[in-house]
Amino acid sequence: MIAGLVLAAGLGRRMGTVKPLIRIDGTPVLCRVLATLDASGIRPVAVVLGRDAERIRREVDLAGRLVVVNPSPERGMASSLALGLAALPDDAEGVVILHADMPFLQPTTVRAVLRLATEADIAAPCWQGVRGFPVFFRRSQWDGLRASLHGDAGGRAFIRRHADRLQTVQVEDPGCVRDIDRPDDLTPQKEAPCCATSE
C-alpha cells in the first residue's frame, strides 16, 4: 500500500491568504489536490495543516484523512514533512508527497509515478525536463530522508545525494511543476515551470 502526504501548513506570505482555501472554479485548491489523489487510488492520505488548521477543517471535508497539525509551521517545510511521515501507517510501503498548492496536477501523472513505484526507491514526473510532483519515496528511504530534513528544505538534498535511486517519467502535464505562490500564478496563461528546484 502506498500512502499520500499533502503538505498544507505553509504560511502563504507571498500569496497573502490561506492558499489551501483559494477557490478555482468554486472549489478550494486543497479539495482539488485530494480529489486528484483519490482518482489515482491512493489511500490513506495524510494532510499536514498549520496555523489555519481550524478554518481549513471548517471549509474542507477531511473525513477519512489522517490530519496532522504542525504547531510550529514557521520552522519550515521540513518540520511538516517529518510530522507527516510519522503519521503514516506502519504497513505503508511508500509515500507520494505533494503540496496543497498544486491544484492543476492531473491524476494521470500520479498514476505514472505509481507505475514507477513498483520498482523504484524514489520516483517523480518530469515535464519538459523539469522534475515535478508528486515524489515517491519507498519506506526504505524514509530514515535517510528524515535525517536530511532541515528548515524550509524538503527532499531535494536527499534526492540529489541519491540520484542513482531516482527514476523519472516524462509526462504531458504542466500541472506537475505548477504551484500557486503568488496571485498571478492563478491566471490561465501562467504555465512556466515554477518548481525547477522541486523537492
Side-chain angles (χ1 to χ4, degrees), residues 48-121:
V48 183
L49 305 177
R51 291 179 180 171
D52 300 293
E54 290 307 313
R55 181 179 171 189
I56 292 172
R57 284 178 185 270
R58 288 195 301 270
E59 298 188 31
V60 176
D61 182 5
L62 294 176
R65 316 296 181 179
L66 303 172
V67 179
V68 182
V69 177
N70 184 348
S72 304
E74 68 279 359
R75 292 168 50 205
M77 181 170 47
S79 63
S80 292
L81 184 48
L83 287 169
L85 288 173
L88 297 177
D90 292 339
D91 58 346
E93 301 168 13
V95 61
V96 291
I97 301 170
L98 70 160
H99 300 276
D101 62 354
M102 302 192 73
F104 305 106
L105 178 71
Q106 298 299 310
T108 53
T109 295
V110 182
R111 288 193 286 266
V113 172
L114 290 177
R115 286 193 291 272
L116 286 183
T118 59
E119 297 183 356
D121 286 330

